[in-house]
């Protein structure tokens, strides 16, 4: 495994004895999808989604300053090697007023980052989850193309069935610590959590930027950068989130919420618990997903444990 994969195996809360079974696990509802959807089809689909990301940041709307690049062997040293923030400029007035960005941002403050503390959602917060799914799946071309693809392959019979399953696999609660319903795939990937005194998950650039802007996150360095000249790009980052360290937090940079959600969902549905090989802008890129094997929803379906881009 790549070092970032090994780190995430431990951070999602499983013992090493359980990690092999986790990496090989597949949801019974997705076995047929794995058989019928080829790697070439996934590459074609990911290129289509990449080309349709009209809400991504343009160079005039987002400027980053990656600063210090370190080798993989130094990602655990917890040393701030970058004197400036990662984000030099974000055009919030343009980007964050777009419907999918606004819907994502509304969700980010609905969670307690500490595992072991149960999550409780109000009716308004559940409505925000449903609104986010509608905005990213029904109301964007990226979401519509993902739906069309999965329906054509027979993975789902309707968009309504797809959205219902996405809500459960992403927002359904399970326990990472102390038997409490304290976590979900969405919280882990898009918001970030604290487990065993470390940052766990946290693979979303919007959350990173907002916390950095508020002075709650300190960027240290990066250990890999994607090959793209524009956005979306990918960085593997080291940072401190209000006293807790993240050794390798990889994320798409400058992508829209619908792109991140669609790419991760595509990989989890078709290659659950496996490496998912894609093509983005003519460049090879892989996404690692993990299934949560300790609890289930529906007819033995598995929640998302994690999803993130690996080093190109």
């Amino acid at each position: 495994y790549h070092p970032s994969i090994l780190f995430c195996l431990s951070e999602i809360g499983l013992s090493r004895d359980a990690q092999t079974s986790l990496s090989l696990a597949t949801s019974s509802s997705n076995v047929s999808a794995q058989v019928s959807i080829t790697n070439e089809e996934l590459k074609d689909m990911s290129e289509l989604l990449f080309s349709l990301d009209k809400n991504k940041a343009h160079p005039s709307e987002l400027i980053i300053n990656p600063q210090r690049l370190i080798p993989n062997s130094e990602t655990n040293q917890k040393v701030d090697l970058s004197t400036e923030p990662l984000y030099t400029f974000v055009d919030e007035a343009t980007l964050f007023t777009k419907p999918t960005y606004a819907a994502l941002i509304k969700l980010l403050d609905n969670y307690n980052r500490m595992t072991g503390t149960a999550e409780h959602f109000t009716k308004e917060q559940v409505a925000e989850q449903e609104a986010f799914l509608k905005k990213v799946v029904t109301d964007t071309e990226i979401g519509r193309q993902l739906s069309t693809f999965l329906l054509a392959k027979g993975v789902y019979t309707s968009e309504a069935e797809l959205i219902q399953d996405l809500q459960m696999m992403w927002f359904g609660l399970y326990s990472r610590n102390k038997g409490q319903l304290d976590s979900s795939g969405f919280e882990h990937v898009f918001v970030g959590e604290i487990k065993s005194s470390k940052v766990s998950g946290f693979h979303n650039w919007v959350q990173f930027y907002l916390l950095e802007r508020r002075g709650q996150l300190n960027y240290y360095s990066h250990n890999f950068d994607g090959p793209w000249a524009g956005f979306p790009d990918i960085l593997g980052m080291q940072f401190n989130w209000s006293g807790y360290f993240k050794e390798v937090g990889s994320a798409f940079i400058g992508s829209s919420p619908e792109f991140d959600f669609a790419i991760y969902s595509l990989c989890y549905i078709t290659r659950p618990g496996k490496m998912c090989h894609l093509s983005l802008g003519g460049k090879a890129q892989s996404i690692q997903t993990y299934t949560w094997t300790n609890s289930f929803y529906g007819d033995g379906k598995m929640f998302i444990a994690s999803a993130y881009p690996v080093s190109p």
Side-chain angles (χ1 to χ4, degrees):
Y1 290 129
H2 183 275
S4 62
I5 297 174
L6 288 173
F7 181 74
C8 197
L9 277 168
S10 62
E11 74 166 10
I12 61 177
L14 281 142
S15 67
R16 288 193 173 273
D17 291 340
Q19 289 170 9
T20 300
S21 63
L22 173 65
S23 65
L24 297 176
T26 60
S27 171
S28 59
S29 64
N30 294 326
V31 172
S32 61
Q34 291 195 70
V35 172
S36 61
I37 298 175
T38 67
N39 286 339
E40 286 306 312
E41 288 174 320
L42 286 180
K43 291 177 181 179
D44 290 343
M45 187 61 193
S46 58
E47 281 289 4
L48 176 60
L49 297 179
F50 187 87
S51 70
L52 292 174
D53 194 8
K54 297 178 181 179
N55 285 333
K56 68 182 179 181
H58 296 285
S60 62
E61 299 166 345
L62 174 61
I63 300 172
I64 60 173
N65 182 17
Q67 299 166 82
R68 185 66 176 270
L69 175 66
I70 64 173
N72 291 333
S73 60
E74 296 180 10
T75 59
N76 64 347
Q77 293 191 1
K78 302 182 182 181
V79 179
D80 184 1
L81 300 173
S82 300
T83 58
E84 300 294 327
L86 174 62
Y87 288 91
T88 300
F89 172 73
V90 174
D91 186 348
E92 294 187 34
T94 299
L95 290 174
F96 292 173
T97 56
K98 296 178 186 289
T100 54
Y101 286 88
L104 171 68
I105 291 169
K106 284 184 178 180
L107 292 171
L108 297 179
D109 64 356
N110 291 351
Y111 296 89
N112 186 315
R113 67 176 182 165
M114 306 303 295
T115 59
T117 301
E119 300 289 355
H120 299 284
F121 300 123
T122 65
K123 290 182 179 179
E124 290 76 15
Q125 290 171 334
V126 172
E128 289 173 357
Q129 296 172 8
E130 295 170 348
F132 174 78
L133 288 169
K134 181 180 184 299
K135 294 296 183 185
V136 300
V137 179
T138 305
D139 296 349
T140 68
E141 190 60 27
I142 283 178
R144 290 191 290 269
Q145 287 294 334
L146 174 66
S147 178
T148 297
F149 176 74
L150 294 173
L151 266 60
K153 289 298 178 181
V155 183
Y156 299 96
T157 59
S158 67
E159 183 182 274
E161 181 189 1
L162 166 62
I163 291 176
Q164 182 180 30
D165 197 38
L166 288 171
Q167 182 157 13
M168 289 304 302
M169 74 172 66
W170 278 104
F171 292 99
L173 293 173
Y174 50 82
S175 176
R176 289 185 188 266
N177 195 12
K178 299 180 180 179
Q180 300 295 316
L181 294 179
D182 59 354
S183 185
S184 68
F186 181 86
E187 180 181 9
H188 185 82
V189 174
F190 285 87
V191 183
E193 303 174 291
I194 305 300
K195 181 175 174 60
S196 302
S197 300
K198 296 179 181 179
V199 177
S200 180
F202 201 131
H203 304 289
N204 177 246
W205 78 267
V206 174
Q207 170 76 331
F208 191 112
Y209 163 74
L210 291 173
L211 291 171
E212 186 179 58
R213 186 195 65 182
R214 297 170 193 149
Q216 298 172 344
L217 187 150
N218 184 11
Y219 170 72
Y220 282 7
S221 56
H222 67 288
N223 63 309
F224 65 85
D225 189 352
W228 299 274
F231 302 116
D233 198 359
I234 290 175
L235 282 178
M237 296 159 286
Q238 293 70 53
F239 58 90
N240 185 300
W241 180 15
S242 297
Y244 299 95
F245 182 66
K246 180 68 176 181
E247 185 173 337
V248 181
S250 60
F252 287 102
I253 307 295
S255 51
S256 69
E258 59 265 34
F259 176 81
D260 285 14
F261 191 79
I263 284 291
Y264 291 149
S265 297
L266 173 68
C267 283
Y268 185 74
I269 291 167
T270 62
R271 300 290 187 270
K274 296 179 180 291
M275 192 73 76
C276 179
H277 301 293
L278 307 175
S279 180
L280 303 174
K283 308 291 186 180
Q285 178 60 47
S286 296
I287 303 294
Q288 179 68 52
T289 71
Y290 291 101
T291 57
W292 186 257
T293 59
N294 295 339
S295 56
F296 308 89
Y297 70 94
D299 185 19
K301 295 182 179 181
M302 297 181 185
F303 299 103
I304 291 176
S306 192
Y308 59 93
V310 301
S311 174

